[in-house]
Each structure stands twice: as structure tokens, then as C-alpha cells.
Amino acid sequence: MTRNIIEVSDLSVAYAHNPVIWHINLAVKANSRTAVVGPNGAGKSTLIKSIMNLNKPLSGKVEINGKKPKHALKNIAYVPQKGEVNWDFPTTVLDVVLMGRYVHKGWFKRMNKADVAAAMDALSTMKMEAFKDRQISELSGGQRQRVFLARAICHDADFYIMDEPLQGIDITTEKLIIDTIKALQAKGKSFLVVHHNLDTVEEYFDHVIILNKSVIAQGTIEEAWKKENIDKAYDDRSVTT
Amino acid sequence: MIDVLTSYTFLIVAIGTVILAFACGIVGTVSVIKGQSLIGDAIGHATFPGIIFAFMLVGVMETYTLALGAVIFGIFAFFTIQIITDSSKVTLDSALALILSSFFGLGMALKSYVQGHPGFSGTQGIDDYIFGQAAYMLRTDVYLIIIASVISLLLFMLFYSHIKIYVFDPIFSKSVGVNTGLMNFMILSMTIVLIAVGLKAVGAILIVNLLIAPGVIGLLWSNRFPMVLIIAGFSGAVSAFTGTYVSTVYAGFATGPSIILAMSILVLLSMVFGSKGLLHTHRKRNQGVVS
Ligand SMILES: Nc1ncnc2c1ncn2[C@@H]1O[C@H](COP(=O)(O)OP(=O)(O)OP(=O)(O)O)[C@@H](O)[C@H]1O
Ligand SMILES: [Mg+2]
């Protein structure tokens, strides 16, 4: 478990000239469950978006499996933070999950039985088969989150990046998601997950990155998940703007 | 009246409006779902002065030149809206209302000037671009409509999956390699070009209806994107045929209003009877199965 799936070196990102994160150096181990924690506005989503090549950094470099993010997208399944999709869009649960197949099929081929079977598998993993024909706007928040997880599973990537998948969901769904993550890890997958609940970090993850504008600490839970590091990240005085 | 249906001129014109409405219905549905219906309205009105400027420059009502003038003003209006909302505290809906009215006002002023000026001849035709007059459409007008609509539809079909994912989930679409900037640009260009070629048939004031109403109808009947698009395309086409027929048979009926009237009847019926319409939700609620 020593190979790095992501390496970030000296990454700085700004929105309209206001730097948000700076001089980020970090590594995510292959086959790990890595949590990213830090207070609101710490730059967690910004970091994730840079890794996904969704914004333009001021400086620095991201490598995924030794490649530029652009060329590694096929291998990453991304679950966006809640509220970033158009809920009025006319589409069913099954359709959303099928979107995870495009990267494999190429854009101009029709979905076939095998794709639908893969999507149904993913739905059953998330216990959502019964909802397959439901319009997505007619789901509860937790059910929506499960659908996006199912889409990521259907994507069948080696590496999953999730921005707060546990936000606003009940304990049953939370357990289901974490169990799924652990099961996928056993199959060799890797995870980078933005996480808010400090009480469950140890239980749910094996690695952690503590972030507040820059990296406060990183490593295995034993190495990095220490009171002084957490205090440093969440101490109000250290937070600017 | 029936012989109108077999008249060659009528058929040519009807083919034009039907194809135009079909393409507008499909492309416009994207704006409806994105919640950007009024951008099409602002652009539609803003093309009107473009028509007159183009006419003033060349001195004749020539199809391609006028359409080009409309396209240029459509683009100009769009970027003006962007600049206003990006660089000031003016909200999008105010910016749209401002651009819509000021561009159209400019168009009306230019129209009065041109029509009162002895140096210009054949200026009566300008009126056709306000409410649309399909009966006066030339062969070249129809050809231009067909070319623009077919190209738009082909592009839409080619990039169907990209467009679908982009509209639903822009960030995910980017992460799976969709060029979101290109998609946005493509939808916008198709909208502007369809407006520009459709002005003579439907008019600057009402063209937005062709882009919006079909999508609204589609969404009232289905919750699957491909089905919504098909319903939108066909309700546009049916309304266009009906409207063109009515305006050809009854002198004095402009084509734009006739098409829009037919479309509005379909909207109304869908609101009541559609599978997502009033009756249906009402029944569901009474049975207590509303989800
Ligand atoms: N598109 C944007 N334009 C300008 N500023 C932004 C933008 N997105 C984020 N920011 C700013 O960047 C900073 C970091 O935001 P980010 O979303 O990365 O935080 P986060 O750690 O994910 O917070 P949360 O826990 O609330 O999700 C914040 O101060 C935010 O206001
Ligand atoms: Mg965030």
C-alpha cells in the first residue's frame, strides 16, 4: 500500500485573485479510504475540483496515476456536492445511473442490455432498484445521494472522489454508503472523500488530510488524526476571511 | 379552402415553418430546462434592429443579408446582457428586460425612419418581420430555414448525450470529458440562428414562443428527456402547420399569431390533461399517492 494514486505538488488556487488554497503538497495512497476534513470555506471542494481538472490553478501540479488529470478521467468517478445538478431535468433514476457508462462506451454508441444490467447492479448495491423508473426530482435527499453513488459505482472507476456524500442523510444510508465504500476498497478501489463529522473519521477512514487553506496534517489515521492538528485547523484565529 | 393544401406555394411555406418549429422546439427545450427561457425572448426582440440595419446597408430586402444582420444583433444582445450582469449589480431579469425593450425600441425607431425616407423603397416588407408573414416568404427564405434547421437538428443528434449530461449535471459532465463551453456555445448559436431565419415567418415579438412553448408542453407529458424532446418537436410542428394554414386561408391573419394561438391551445390542453398536468396531479392527490 505504498503507491500514490494522486500526487499534488505546490498547488495554489484563487478565485478572482483571492487565493483560497496555497502551496498544497499531498499524496493519496492507492487502495486507501482517505478523508479530507476542515472547516467550512477551508478549500476542500476547491481542492477536489483542482484534482478533477475543473478549475484553473494559479500554480502547481496534479498527477493521477502519474498522468495529467485530463488523461486520467476515465479512472475517476466523481460524486458532486449536493445541489450542483439541475433537479428539474426530466430523467429517471435508471437514466442517471446509466450516465456512468458513457466514459466506457464512447459517446456515440447506444446503451445496451449489459449497460442496463450494470446500472441495475449498482442500484441494487445502493438498495434503490425499486425506484428505477422514478423521476429524480421525486426522491428524498438521501435517496438522491444513493443514486449518485450508484452512478459512481456504475462508472466502475479505480478511484472515487466524493464531496460530502454523507451530508444530510440518515444513519441507515450513511452505514450503507460506508459499507459500500469498504466493500469496494476490498476490491482494490481507492477513495478520497470530503467528510464533516469529526467523530466518525477514525471509524470510516484509514487515511486523513486535514486542510485549512493549506495542509495542516496528512497521513494514516494514527499519524495525522491528533488533537493538536484538529485544533490547529479548527481554531478560529487561524482562519482568515 | 382545401385546394390551399395542394397549392405548391403553400406547401413550400408550410414545410419551412414546420421544420423551423420542429427544430426550435427541440433546441428551445434545453433553455426551458435550464430556466433560461427569457434569454431567447431578449435575443428575439434584439434581432429586429439588425434586420433594418442590414436593409439600410444594402438597400434591398435580401434574405441572406437580413438574416446575417439578425444574427449579428442577436450575438451583440447576448454579450451585452453578459457584460451588464457580470460587471454590475443589475440582475439577469432586469438586464433581459432592458435589452429586450431598448433593442426593440431602436428597431421601431429605425423602421419609422426608413419607411418615412424617400431614399428607401420596398420598406413595407419590414412590417413582416414584427409579426411574421409566411405568405410573403420567398423560396430563399424557406431554403435558409431548412438549411439552418437541418444543421441544428443534426448537431443536436450528434451531441445528444453530451447535451443531456451537460444540462443535467454540468460538473459531472466536465469530469467525464464534455466540453461544457462548446456545448453552451453550440446551444446559443443554434438558438440565435434559428431565431434569425425564422423572423420572417413568425416575427421578432413572438418567435420566443416557438422556442419555449414546445418544451413546456413536452415537460407536461413526460419525465424522460428524449420523449420530452420528441413531444416538443411535434407540438411545434403541428402548431406551425395549423398556423400557416389559417394565415394563408384567412387574409389578415399574420402567421406568427396564428401559430402561437395553435401552440397556446396545446399548452392549455397539456396543462389540464397532461400526465404531469392539473387533472392528473389532482387525481393523484385525492388518492393520496402523491409522492
Ligand atoms: N466560484 C467561486 N467564486 C469565488 N469564490 C469561491 C468560489 N467557490 C468557492 N469560493 C470561496 O473559496 C473558499 C473555499 O471554498 P470551498 O468551497 O472550497 O470550501 P469548502 O472547504 O468546500 O467549504 P464547505 O465545507 O462549506 O463545503 C471560500 O471562502 C469560498 O467563499
Ligand atoms: Mg465544499
Side-chain angles (χ1 to χ4, degrees), chain B residues 65-109:
Chain B
T65 323
L66 298 194
L68 189 65
V71 166
I72 290 171
F73 266 67
I75 296 170
F76 180 42
F78 178 78
F79 282 107
T80 316
I81 294 164
Q82 291 272 299
I83 290 167
I84 292 177
T85 48
D86 285 354
S87 63
S88 70
K89 282 205 171 120
V90 179
T91 56
L92 179 63
D93 71 321
S94 310
L96 289 172
L98 279 173
I99 293 303
L100 182 153
S101 49
S102 52
F103 273 67
F104 193 69
L106 172 67
M108 292 308 275

mmCIF file of all heavy atoms in Angstrom, chain B residues 65-109:
data_model
loop_
_atom_site.group_PDB
_atom_site.id
_atom_site.type_symbol
_atom_site.label_atom_id
_atom_site.label_comp_id
_atom_site.label_asym_id
_atom_site.label_seq_id
_atom_site.Cartn_x
_atom_site.Cartn_y
_atom_site.Cartn_z
ATOM 1 N N THR B 65 -28.681 38.604 -46.365
ATOM 2 C CA THR B 65 -28.152 39.786 -45.692
ATOM 3 C C THR B 65 -28.950 40.095 -44.436
ATOM 4 O O THR B 65 -28.379 40.374 -43.377
ATOM 5 C CB THR B 65 -28.238 41.024 -46.619
ATOM 6 O OG1 THR B 65 -27.954 40.595 -47.948
ATOM 7 C CG2 THR B 65 -27.289 42.094 -46.193
ATOM 8 N N LEU B 66 -30.275 40.048 -44.563
ATOM 9 C CA LEU B 66 -31.116 40.365 -43.409
ATOM 10 C C LEU B 66 -30.889 39.366 -42.283
ATOM 11 O O LEU B 66 -30.786 39.736 -41.109
ATOM 12 C CB LEU B 66 -32.593 40.370 -43.808
ATOM 13 C CG LEU B 66 -33.013 41.413 -44.853
ATOM 14 C CD1 LEU B 66 -34.531 41.533 -44.892
ATOM 15 C CD2 LEU B 66 -32.391 42.773 -44.605
ATOM 16 N N ALA B 67 -30.785 38.074 -42.631
ATOM 17 C CA ALA B 67 -30.550 37.055 -41.609
ATOM 18 C C ALA B 67 -29.214 37.302 -40.920
ATOM 19 O O ALA B 67 -29.093 37.161 -39.694
ATOM 20 C CB ALA B 67 -30.579 35.666 -42.232
ATOM 21 N N LEU B 68 -28.220 37.700 -41.704
ATOM 22 C CA LEU B 68 -26.910 37.983 -41.123
ATOM 23 C C LEU B 68 -27.002 39.147 -40.135
ATOM 24 O O LEU B 68 -26.443 39.100 -39.035
ATOM 25 C CB LEU B 68 -25.901 38.297 -42.231
ATOM 26 C CG LEU B 68 -24.449 38.394 -41.770
ATOM 27 C CD1 LEU B 68 -23.969 37.040 -41.267
ATOM 28 C CD2 LEU B 68 -23.557 38.886 -42.915
ATOM 29 N N GLY B 69 -27.731 40.193 -40.545
ATOM 30 C CA GLY B 69 -27.939 41.332 -39.643
ATOM 31 C C GLY B 69 -28.586 40.879 -38.346
ATOM 32 O O GLY B 69 -28.187 41.289 -37.247
ATOM 33 N N ALA B 70 -29.581 40.001 -38.462
ATOM 34 C CA ALA B 70 -30.273 39.489 -37.273
ATOM 35 C C ALA B 70 -29.318 38.704 -36.383
ATOM 36 O O ALA B 70 -29.302 38.884 -35.154
ATOM 37 C CB ALA B 70 -31.449 38.615 -37.695
ATOM 38 N N VAL B 71 -28.493 37.856 -36.991
ATOM 39 C CA VAL B 71 -27.543 37.056 -36.203
ATOM 40 C C VAL B 71 -26.580 37.967 -35.451
ATOM 41 O O VAL B 71 -26.342 37.791 -34.248
ATOM 42 C CB VAL B 71 -26.759 36.080 -37.117
ATOM 43 C CG1 VAL B 71 -25.560 35.498 -36.382
ATOM 44 C CG2 VAL B 71 -27.667 34.961 -37.608
ATOM 45 N N ILE B 72 -26.052 38.964 -36.171
ATOM 46 C CA ILE B 72 -25.073 39.855 -35.536
ATOM 47 C C ILE B 72 -25.703 40.567 -34.337
ATOM 48 O O ILE B 72 -25.113 40.629 -33.258
ATOM 49 C CB ILE B 72 -24.532 40.873 -36.557
ATOM 50 C CG1 ILE B 72 -23.653 40.139 -37.570
ATOM 51 C CG2 ILE B 72 -23.740 41.979 -35.853
ATOM 52 C CD1 ILE B 72 -23.225 40.972 -38.752
ATOM 53 N N PHE B 73 -26.929 41.039 -34.513
ATOM 54 C CA PHE B 73 -27.569 41.726 -33.390
ATOM 55 C C PHE B 73 -27.936 40.761 -32.265
ATOM 56 O O PHE B 73 -27.920 41.141 -31.095
ATOM 57 C CB PHE B 73 -28.786 42.539 -33.858
ATOM 58 C CG PHE B 73 -28.424 43.957 -34.138
ATOM 59 C CD1 PHE B 73 -27.589 44.261 -35.207
ATOM 60 C CD2 PHE B 73 -28.866 44.987 -33.325
ATOM 61 C CE1 PHE B 73 -27.206 45.562 -35.457
ATOM 62 C CE2 PHE B 73 -28.487 46.298 -33.567
ATOM 63 C CZ PHE B 73 -27.658 46.587 -34.634
ATOM 64 N N GLY B 74 -28.268 39.544 -32.610
ATOM 65 C CA GLY B 74 -28.549 38.542 -31.582
ATOM 66 C C GLY B 74 -27.328 38.308 -30.707
ATOM 67 O O GLY B 74 -27.412 38.291 -29.473
ATOM 68 N N ILE B 75 -26.176 38.144 -31.356
ATOM 69 C CA ILE B 75 -24.926 37.924 -30.617
ATOM 70 C C ILE B 75 -24.597 39.152 -29.779
ATOM 71 O O ILE B 75 -24.250 39.060 -28.597
ATOM 72 C CB ILE B 75 -23.773 37.632 -31.600
ATOM 73 C CG1 ILE B 75 -24.049 36.333 -32.354
ATOM 74 C CG2 ILE B 75 -22.443 37.562 -30.874
ATOM 75 C CD1 ILE B 75 -23.100 36.071 -33.502
ATOM 76 N N PHE B 76 -24.737 40.323 -30.432
ATOM 77 C CA PHE B 76 -24.460 41.588 -29.762
ATOM 78 C C PHE B 76 -25.318 41.704 -28.489
ATOM 79 O O PHE B 76 -24.814 42.025 -27.401
ATOM 80 C CB PHE B 76 -24.761 42.719 -30.754
ATOM 81 C CG PHE B 76 -24.521 44.092 -30.230
ATOM 82 C CD1 PHE B 76 -23.399 44.385 -29.462
ATOM 83 C CD2 PHE B 76 -25.420 45.122 -30.525
ATOM 84 C CE1 PHE B 76 -23.178 45.672 -28.992
ATOM 85 C CE2 PHE B 76 -25.200 46.393 -30.050
ATOM 86 C CZ PHE B 76 -24.089 46.672 -29.282
ATOM 87 N N ALA B 77 -26.606 41.398 -28.607
ATOM 88 C CA ALA B 77 -27.508 41.495 -27.452
ATOM 89 C C ALA B 77 -27.077 40.526 -26.359
ATOM 90 O O ALA B 77 -27.025 40.876 -25.179
ATOM 91 C CB ALA B 77 -28.942 41.199 -27.876
ATOM 92 N N PHE B 78 -26.733 39.303 -26.766
ATOM 93 C CA PHE B 78 -26.344 38.313 -25.770
ATOM 94 C C PHE B 78 -25.144 38.791 -24.964
ATOM 95 O O PHE B 78 -25.133 38.715 -23.732
ATOM 96 C CB PHE B 78 -26.046 36.971 -26.431
ATOM 97 C CG PHE B 78 -25.596 35.934 -25.452
ATOM 98 C CD1 PHE B 78 -26.516 35.277 -24.650
ATOM 99 C CD2 PHE B 78 -24.241 35.644 -25.283
ATOM 100 C CE1 PHE B 78 -26.111 34.339 -23.719
ATOM 101 C CE2 PHE B 78 -23.826 34.711 -24.357
ATOM 102 C CZ PHE B 78 -24.756 34.058 -23.575
ATOM 103 N N PHE B 79 -24.129 39.294 -25.663
ATOM 104 C CA PHE B 79 -22.931 39.721 -24.937
ATOM 105 C C PHE B 79 -23.194 40.963 -24.101
ATOM 106 O O PHE B 79 -22.616 41.118 -23.023
ATOM 107 C CB PHE B 79 -21.748 39.902 -25.889
ATOM 108 C CG PHE B 79 -21.156 38.584 -26.264
ATOM 109 C CD1 PHE B 79 -21.336 38.049 -27.526
ATOM 110 C CD2 PHE B 79 -20.467 37.829 -25.321
ATOM 111 C CE1 PHE B 79 -20.823 36.806 -27.856
ATOM 112 C CE2 PHE B 79 -19.952 36.588 -25.640
ATOM 113 C CZ PHE B 79 -20.123 36.071 -26.909
ATOM 114 N N THR B 80 -24.079 41.831 -24.589
ATOM 115 C CA THR B 80 -24.428 42.995 -23.776
ATOM 116 C C THR B 80 -25.057 42.541 -22.461
ATOM 117 O O THR B 80 -24.734 43.052 -21.383
ATOM 118 C CB THR B 80 -25.404 43.915 -24.535
ATOM 119 O OG1 THR B 80 -24.947 44.051 -25.872
ATOM 120 C CG2 THR B 80 -25.469 45.280 -23.901
ATOM 121 N N ILE B 81 -25.941 41.549 -22.550
ATOM 122 C CA ILE B 81 -26.571 41.016 -21.334
ATOM 123 C C ILE B 81 -25.511 40.462 -20.380
ATOM 124 O O ILE B 81 -25.509 40.740 -19.183
ATOM 125 C CB ILE B 81 -27.593 39.910 -21.696
ATOM 126 C CG1 ILE B 81 -28.759 40.505 -22.475
ATOM 127 C CG2 ILE B 81 -28.095 39.201 -20.441
ATOM 128 C CD1 ILE B 81 -29.602 39.469 -23.185
ATOM 129 N N GLN B 82 -24.569 39.696 -20.942
ATOM 130 C CA GLN B 82 -23.486 39.115 -20.131
ATOM 131 C C GLN B 82 -22.697 40.201 -19.427
ATOM 132 O O GLN B 82 -22.435 40.125 -18.228
ATOM 133 C CB GLN B 82 -22.529 38.336 -21.044
ATOM 134 C CG GLN B 82 -23.126 37.092 -21.628
ATOM 135 C CD GLN B 82 -22.930 35.920 -20.712
ATOM 136 O OE1 GLN B 82 -21.817 35.547 -20.424
ATOM 137 N NE2 GLN B 82 -24.017 35.346 -20.237
ATOM 138 N N ILE B 83 -22.315 41.230 -20.206
ATOM 139 C CA ILE B 83 -21.479 42.287 -19.645
ATOM 140 C C ILE B 83 -22.232 43.010 -18.532
ATOM 141 O O ILE B 83 -21.684 43.261 -17.458
ATOM 142 C CB ILE B 83 -21.030 43.262 -20.755
ATOM 143 C CG1 ILE B 83 -20.031 42.545 -21.675
ATOM 144 C CG2 ILE B 83 -20.393 44.516 -20.154
ATOM 145 C CD1 ILE B 83 -19.754 43.265 -22.967
ATOM 146 N N ILE B 84 -23.504 43.306 -18.784
ATOM 147 C CA ILE B 84 -24.293 44.011 -17.769
ATOM 148 C C ILE B 84 -24.366 43.197 -16.475
ATOM 149 O O ILE B 84 -24.126 43.707 -15.381
ATOM 150 C CB ILE B 84 -25.723 44.301 -18.279
ATOM 151 C CG1 ILE B 84 -25.670 45.328 -19.411
ATOM 152 C CG2 ILE B 84 -26.608 44.836 -17.144
ATOM 153 C CD1 ILE B 84 -27.029 45.613 -20.027
ATOM 154 N N THR B 85 -24.664 41.901 -16.583
ATOM 155 C CA THR B 85 -24.835 41.114 -15.351
ATOM 156 C C THR B 85 -23.500 40.831 -14.674
ATOM 157 O O THR B 85 -23.430 40.749 -13.458
ATOM 158 C CB THR B 85 -25.562 39.784 -15.619
ATOM 159 O OG1 THR B 85 -24.948 39.151 -16.746
ATOM 160 C CG2 THR B 85 -27.029 40.005 -15.894
ATOM 161 N N ASP B 86 -22.427 40.676 -15.453
ATOM 162 C CA ASP B 86 -21.131 40.368 -14.851
ATOM 163 C C ASP B 86 -20.517 41.573 -14.156
ATOM 164 O O ASP B 86 -19.846 41.439 -13.135
ATOM 165 C CB ASP B 86 -20.147 39.870 -15.923
ATOM 166 C CG ASP B 86 -20.463 38.444 -16.324
ATOM 167 O OD1 ASP B 86 -21.352 37.844 -15.691
ATOM 168 O OD2 ASP B 86 -19.840 37.936 -17.273
ATOM 169 N N SER B 87 -20.714 42.749 -14.724
ATOM 170 C CA SER B 87 -19.923 43.879 -14.248
ATOM 171 C C SER B 87 -20.737 44.848 -13.394
ATOM 172 O O SER B 87 -20.239 45.872 -12.980
ATOM 173 C CB SER B 87 -19.312 44.623 -15.428
ATOM 174 O OG SER B 87 -20.353 45.152 -16.219
ATOM 175 N N SER B 88 -22.012 44.534 -13.148
ATOM 176 C CA SER B 88 -22.778 45.435 -12.306
ATOM 177 C C SER B 88 -23.721 44.633 -11.445
ATOM 178 O O SER B 88 -23.811 43.419 -11.566
ATOM 179 C CB SER B 88 -23.564 46.419 -13.161
ATOM 180 O OG SER B 88 -24.602 45.737 -13.828
ATOM 181 N N LYS B 89 -24.451 45.313 -10.593
ATOM 182 C CA LYS B 89 -25.357 44.608 -9.693
ATOM 183 C C LYS B 89 -26.719 44.355 -10.328
ATOM 184 O O LYS B 89 -27.633 43.850 -9.681
ATOM 185 C CB LYS B 89 -25.523 45.401 -8.396
ATOM 186 C CG LYS B 89 -24.324 45.234 -7.471
ATOM 187 C CD LYS B 89 -24.696 45.458 -6.027
ATOM 188 C CE LYS B 89 -23.573 45.079 -5.092
ATOM 189 N NZ LYS B 89 -23.108 46.176 -4.267
ATOM 190 N N VAL B 90 -26.861 44.748 -11.603
ATOM 191 C CA VAL B 90 -28.132 44.533 -12.293
ATOM 192 C C VAL B 90 -28.387 43.034 -12.421
ATOM 193 O O VAL B 90 -27.517 42.279 -12.844
ATOM 194 C CB VAL B 90 -28.097 45.193 -13.685
ATOM 195 C CG1 VAL B 90 -29.402 44.952 -14.420
ATOM 196 C CG2 VAL B 90 -27.813 46.672 -13.565
ATOM 197 N N THR B 91 -29.566 42.592 -12.020
ATOM 198 C CA THR B 91 -29.862 41.165 -12.075
ATOM 199 C C THR B 91 -30.202 40.736 -13.495
ATOM 200 O O THR B 91 -30.516 41.573 -14.351
ATOM 201 C CB THR B 91 -31.059 40.811 -11.174
ATOM 202 O OG1 THR B 91 -32.166 41.626 -11.574
ATOM 203 C CG2 THR B 91 -30.741 41.049 -9.710
ATOM 204 N N LEU B 92 -30.149 39.424 -13.718
ATOM 205 C CA LEU B 92 -30.359 38.908 -15.066
ATOM 206 C C LEU B 92 -31.722 39.308 -15.622
ATOM 207 O O LEU B 92 -31.829 39.749 -16.769
ATOM 208 C CB LEU B 92 -30.211 37.389 -15.087
ATOM 209 C CG LEU B 92 -30.422 36.728 -16.448
ATOM 210 C CD1 LEU B 92 -29.386 37.196 -17.457
ATOM 211 C CD2 LEU B 92 -30.394 35.214 -16.344
ATOM 212 N N ASP B 93 -32.776 39.216 -14.803
ATOM 213 C CA ASP B 93 -34.094 39.511 -15.379
ATOM 214 C C ASP B 93 -34.239 40.990 -15.738
ATOM 215 O O ASP B 93 -34.843 41.327 -16.754
ATOM 216 C CB ASP B 93 -35.231 39.017 -14.478
ATOM 217 C CG ASP B 93 -35.367 39.827 -13.210
ATOM 218 O OD1 ASP B 93 -34.311 40.195 -12.656
ATOM 219 O OD2 ASP B 93 -36.496 40.089 -12.783
ATOM 220 N N SER B 94 -33.612 41.869 -14.947
ATOM 221 C CA SER B 94 -33.643 43.287 -15.321
ATOM 222 C C SER B 94 -32.843 43.525 -16.595
ATOM 223 O O SER B 94 -33.270 44.266 -17.485
ATOM 224 C CB SER B 94 -33.048 44.153 -14.216
ATOM 225 O OG SER B 94 -33.611 43.831 -12.988
ATOM 226 N N ALA B 95 -31.676 42.904 -16.675
ATOM 227 C CA ALA B 95 -30.843 43.075 -17.865
ATOM 228 C C ALA B 95 -31.596 42.601 -19.108
ATOM 229 O O ALA B 95 -31.577 43.265 -20.152
ATOM 230 C CB ALA B 95 -29.538 42.298 -17.712
ATOM 231 N N LEU B 96 -32.290 41.476 -18.982
ATOM 232 C CA LEU B 96 -33.043 40.938 -20.122
ATOM 233 C C LEU B 96 -34.143 41.906 -20.538
ATOM 234 O O LEU B 96 -34.322 42.198 -21.724
ATOM 235 C CB LEU B 96 -33.647 39.582 -19.763
ATOM 236 C CG LEU B 96 -32.655 38.432 -19.619
ATOM 237 C CD1 LEU B 96 -33.349 37.191 -19.081
ATOM 238 C CD2 LEU B 96 -31.995 38.133 -20.946
ATOM 239 N N ALA B 97 -34.875 42.419 -19.542
ATOM 240 C CA ALA B 97 -35.959 43.346 -19.853
ATOM 241 C C ALA B 97 -35.414 44.615 -20.516
ATOM 242 O O ALA B 97 -35.984 45.122 -21.486
ATOM 243 C CB ALA B 97 -36.724 43.691 -18.578
ATOM 244 N N LEU B 98 -34.285 45.095 -19.990
ATOM 245 C CA LEU B 98 -33.672 46.297 -20.559
ATOM 246 C C LEU B 98 -33.274 46.094 -22.021
ATOM 247 O O LEU B 98 -33.591 46.909 -22.897
ATOM 248 C CB LEU B 98 -32.400 46.649 -19.772
ATOM 249 C CG LEU B 98 -32.570 47.407 -18.470
ATOM 250 C CD1 LEU B 98 -31.228 47.500 -17.756
ATOM 251 C CD2 LEU B 98 -33.093 48.809 -18.777
ATOM 252 N N ILE B 99 -32.563 45.019 -22.268
ATOM 253 C CA ILE B 99 -32.054 44.764 -23.613
ATOM 254 C C ILE B 99 -33.212 44.526 -24.571
ATOM 255 O O ILE B 99 -33.251 45.068 -25.686
ATOM 256 C CB ILE B 99 -31.106 43.537 -23.596
ATOM 257 C CG1 ILE B 99 -29.851 43.879 -22.808
ATOM 258 C CG2 ILE B 99 -30.744 43.097 -24.996
ATOM 259 C CD1 ILE B 99 -29.118 45.091 -23.331
ATOM 260 N N LEU B 100 -34.165 43.719 -24.135
ATOM 261 C CA LEU B 100 -35.327 43.416 -24.971
ATOM 262 C C LEU B 100 -36.008 44.707 -25.431
ATOM 263 O O LEU B 100 -36.193 44.950 -26.619
ATOM 264 C CB LEU B 100 -36.291 42.549 -24.168
ATOM 265 C CG LEU B 100 -37.572 42.035 -24.802
ATOM 266 C CD1 LEU B 100 -37.983 40.739 -24.107
ATOM 267 C CD2 LEU B 100 -38.709 43.027 -24.723
ATOM 268 N N SER B 101 -36.324 45.578 -24.461
ATOM 269 C CA SER B 101 -37.098 46.764 -24.817
ATOM 270 C C SER B 101 -36.253 47.787 -25.564
ATOM 271 O O SER B 101 -36.718 48.393 -26.530
ATOM 272 C CB SER B 101 -37.721 47.380 -23.563
ATOM 273 O OG SER B 101 -36.746 47.513 -22.562
ATOM 274 N N SER B 102 -34.997 47.964 -25.150
ATOM 275 C CA SER B 102 -34.225 49.022 -25.804
ATOM 276 C C SER B 102 -33.853 48.628 -27.236
ATOM 277 O O SER B 102 -33.913 49.456 -28.142
ATOM 278 C CB SER B 102 -32.987 49.392 -24.990
ATOM 279 O OG SER B 102 -32.255 48.254 -24.676
ATOM 280 N N PHE B 103 -33.501 47.372 -27.448
ATOM 281 C CA PHE B 103 -33.191 46.959 -28.820
ATOM 282 C C PHE B 103 -34.436 47.024 -29.697
ATOM 283 O O PHE B 103 -34.388 47.485 -30.834
ATOM 284 C CB PHE B 103 -32.609 45.532 -28.844
ATOM 285 C CG PHE B 103 -31.128 45.481 -28.650
ATOM 286 C CD1 PHE B 103 -30.568 45.837 -27.437
ATOM 287 C CD2 PHE B 103 -30.287 45.065 -29.674
ATOM 288 C CE1 PHE B 103 -29.195 45.792 -27.249
ATOM 289 C CE2 PHE B 103 -28.909 45.013 -29.487
ATOM 290 C CZ PHE B 103 -28.358 45.367 -28.283
ATOM 291 N N PHE B 104 -35.547 46.558 -29.163
ATOM 292 C CA PHE B 104 -36.756 46.568 -29.987
ATOM 293 C C PHE B 104 -37.197 48.010 -30.256
ATOM 294 O O PHE B 104 -37.622 48.353 -31.357
ATOM 295 C CB PHE B 104 -37.882 45.775 -29.315
ATOM 296 C CG PHE B 104 -39.013 45.492 -30.245
ATOM 297 C CD1 PHE B 104 -38.856 44.609 -31.306
ATOM 298 C CD2 PHE B 104 -40.243 46.128 -30.087
ATOM 299 C CE1 PHE B 104 -39.893 44.361 -32.187
ATOM 300 C CE2 PHE B 104 -41.293 45.879 -30.971
ATOM 301 C CZ PHE B 104 -41.115 44.996 -32.022
ATOM 302 N N GLY B 105 -37.039 48.857 -29.233
ATOM 303 C CA GLY B 105 -37.349 50.278 -29.409
ATOM 304 C C GLY B 105 -36.500 50.884 -30.516
ATOM 305 O O GLY B 105 -37.010 51.606 -31.390
ATOM 306 N N LEU B 106 -35.211 50.555 -30.499
ATOM 307 C CA LEU B 106 -34.317 51.017 -31.556
ATOM 308 C C LEU B 106 -34.825 50.558 -32.921
ATOM 309 O O LEU B 106 -34.859 51.327 -33.894
ATOM 310 C CB LEU B 106 -32.901 50.477 -31.305
ATOM 311 C CG LEU B 106 -31.884 50.701 -32.420
ATOM 312 C CD1 LEU B 106 -31.576 52.182 -32.565
ATOM 313 C CD2 LEU B 106 -30.598 49.916 -32.145
ATOM 314 N N GLY B 107 -35.253 49.303 -32.966
ATOM 315 C CA GLY B 107 -35.776 48.760 -34.222
ATOM 316 C C GLY B 107 -36.982 49.541 -34.724
ATOM 317 O O GLY B 107 -37.066 49.884 -35.907
ATOM 318 N N MET B 108 -37.900 49.844 -33.808
ATOM 319 C CA MET B 108 -39.109 50.578 -34.204
ATOM 320 C C MET B 108 -38.759 51.979 -34.688
ATOM 321 O O MET B 108 -39.324 52.484 -35.663
ATOM 322 C CB MET B 108 -40.102 50.658 -33.037
ATOM 323 C CG MET B 108 -40.723 49.320 -32.651
ATOM 324 S SD MET B 108 -41.445 48.433 -34.026
ATOM 325 C CE MET B 108 -43.074 49.194 -34.084
ATOM 326 N N ALA B 109 -37.789 52.622 -34.014
ATOM 327 C CA ALA B 109 -37.368 53.959 -34.428
ATOM 328 C C ALA B 109 -36.763 53.912 -35.827
ATOM 329 O O ALA B 109 -37.089 54.727 -36.708
ATOM 330 C CB ALA B 109 -36.370 54.526 -33.421
#
